Amino acid sequence: MHTAFFLLLGGALARFLLRHPGEARTPWIIALSVVLAALYVLGPALGPGIGTRPTPRRLTWLALVVAAWVVLVVLAPSFAWCAVPLFYTGLRTLPARAALVLIGVLTVFVVGAQLRLAGDFDPNLLLAPPAVAALATAVFVHMERQAERQRALIDDLVRTRRELAATERREGTLAERQRLSMEIHDTLAQSLSSQQMLLQAADRLWDADPERARAHVRTAESVTERGLVEARRFVHDLAPADLAGGGLDEALRTLAARESEAGLAVRFHAEGTPAPLPDRVESALLRIAQGAVANVREHADATAAAITLTHLGDQVVLDIADNGRGFTPEPPRKSGVRGHGLPAIRARTRQLGGTLTIESAPGEGTVLSVAIPLEAS
């Protein structure tokens, strides 16, 4: 419609200059054409009008555009068909009833201009402009209804997807809890129950039959050993799954690749000679990296981030840097450990005897550095 408006305006101006060269009104026609084009260009700068309440500025703009067009039509009827794009402008700017009134007024001017150009009365000139106006209005209304249905459908799909994701998370959590409860019941609980019975039997026989009592104690010791193995297996199973593939370096590389989407590029770099790290150090550093990258994605408005793991022999250092909007770091506060926030990162660092350093300033990005001494781990 914008392109059609300028084509019609240019065509009408060219037609006027070819058919009426050198007339006294020609400078006025050229000036009004330029003014109308400039006013029309200002429309998008005033913000969207469709689906929102028209602002006084936008109403004033529309009134000026219509007024300039009316004066042009009065001076040169060939500018009448520029009204068709103005139909859509009115429909996009005004409420429905006001837009229909405006379209009616524009149509009357178009009919009058066409009859002036023709000289004689022609029924087609009387009927064609209202038909065009009705068709343009019907097409616009139909498109708006389709767009509204599409927006409603998209909202329903997004809401349904969120509800489905929440349901799947709840079901997954319940299933995992049930699995762990069954595992604990069948292994650790049974082991503890056997230990209790054996130790109670040993206590009863300790004076009467010391040999059998010691046998019960040895059996209880064997059951305890098997229970310890099961407990360690549980700890291993509950560790981050990404660490099962190939250590912390590979897990961080996988994290960077997984998070590099939707406008954020994340890269991973390792420095120093890789050395085996204790399981709890690897697990904590991976969780810290996940939380830091989640903070970057949710709050930093960054386009790039870098994860760097440096092996220094006596310590390991994890750096997460981004080019986001940054912030002014605040002193640590005592708070619960929740989510992926800085309190959780500080708590995990403190549990390993490490240090957390945050360097940031508004508009200059952020660098989060965690140093973990390996002797303390």
Side-chain angles (χ1 to χ4, degrees):
M1 279 299 134
H2 295 330
T3 303
F5 175 81
F6 288 107
L7 288 176
L8 290 170
L9 182 63
L13 179 60
R15 181 181 186 277
F16 177 83
L17 293 177
L18 289 174
R19 296 196 176 190
H20 308 279
E23 291 190 6
R25 57 179 173 163
T26 299
W28 291 101
I29 296 297
I30 296 175
L32 280 172
S33 299
V34 173
V35 169
L36 180 58
L39 286 172
Y40 192 88
V41 169
L42 286 177
L46 299 177
I50 189 168
T52 60
R53 196 177 190 87
T55 62
R57 285 195 309 170
R58 192 163 181 85
L59 291 175
T60 303
W61 166 80
L62 181 61
L64 291 174
V65 170
V66 172
W69 174 82
V70 168
V71 175
L72 266 177
V73 172
V74 171
L75 294 176
S78 57
F79 287 87
W81 285 109
C82 292
V84 176
L86 295 182
F87 292 163
Y88 284 91
T89 303
L91 288 167
R92 291 175 60 87
T93 305
L94 299 173
R97 292 184 178 179
L100 292 177
V101 172
L102 176 63
I103 291 173
V105 174
L106 297 180
T107 304
V108 170
F109 273 90
V110 173
V111 171
Q114 294 303 303
L115 292 176
R116 283 177 57 192
L117 286 174
D120 298 328
F121 177 76
D122 186 345
N124 288 331
L125 297 179
L126 186 63
L127 298 176
V132 172
L135 179 62
T137 304
V139 170
F140 180 86
V141 171
H142 176 72
M143 289 191 302
E144 278 305 295
R145 288 177 178 175
Q146 290 293 103
E148 186 61 32
R149 292 194 194 101
Q150 186 177 18
R151 285 192 291 268
L153 178 61
I154 292 174
D155 291 341
D156 288 341
L157 289 175
V158 171
R159 184 171 58 254
T160 302
R161 185 173 64 179
R162 289 175 178 170
E163 292 174 354
L164 180 61
T167 301
E168 289 178 347
R169 284 195 297 269
R170 287 194 298 269
E171 291 179 351
T173 301
L174 292 175
E176 183 65 10
R177 287 179 177 176
Q178 184 177 8
R179 184 188 72 83
L180 288 176
S181 65
M182 293 174 62
E183 288 278 344
I184 292 173
H185 176 269
D186 295 339
T187 56
L188 297 180
Q190 294 291 347
S191 174
L192 291 172
S193 177
S194 299
Q195 293 173 42
Q196 182 183 30
M197 289 188 295
L198 288 168
L199 292 175
Q200 289 174 347
D203 182 60
R204 288 194 300 268
L205 296 173
W206 195 261
D207 295 327
D209 194 346
E211 192 60 33
R212 288 183 60 191
R214 292 189 182 92
H216 287 320
V217 172
R218 288 192 294 269
T219 304
E221 181 183 4
S222 176
V223 172
T224 303
E225 184 177 358
R226 289 198 299 271
L228 183 59
V229 171
E230 290 293 338
R232 288 172 176 166
R233 182 177 67 83
F234 278 125
V235 173
H236 182 270
D237 289 345
L238 293 175
D242 289 345
L243 292 173
L248 181 59
D249 288 35
E250 189 62 29
L252 293 175
R253 187 173 288 107
T254 301
L255 172 65
R258 185 170 61 240
E259 293 292 335
S260 293
E261 59 182 15
L264 178 63
V266 184
R267 61 182 179 86
F268 169 73
H269 179 65
E271 295 182 355
T273 303
L277 298 175
D279 291 345
R280 69 192 194 104
V281 172
E282 288 189 339
S283 177
L285 290 177
L286 177 58
R287 294 304 190 204
I288 289 172
Q290 290 171 336
V293 173
N295 278 347
V296 171
R297 179 172 296 283
E298 294 172 7
H299 306 296
D301 196 23
T303 59
I307 303 173
T308 305
L309 183 67
T310 306
H311 299 271
L312 299 177
D314 60 339
Q315 67 176 351
V316 59
V317 180
L318 176 67
D319 297 310
I320 297 94
D322 68 80
N323 64 347
R325 53 190 171 192
F327 65 100
T328 302
E330 297 179 357
R333 300 175 181 177
K334 292 184 178 181
S335 61
V337 179
R338 295 185 60 189
H340 298 286
L342 289 177
I345 295 176
R346 287 194 179 96
R348 287 193 170 97
T349 304
R350 188 168 55 250
Q351 289 169 0
L352 295 174
T355 57
L356 171 65
T357 305
I358 301 174
E359 298 177 2
S360 182
E364 296 183 7
T366 303
V367 178
L368 183 147
S369 181
V370 175
I372 304 298
L374 298 181
E375 292 84 2
S377 60

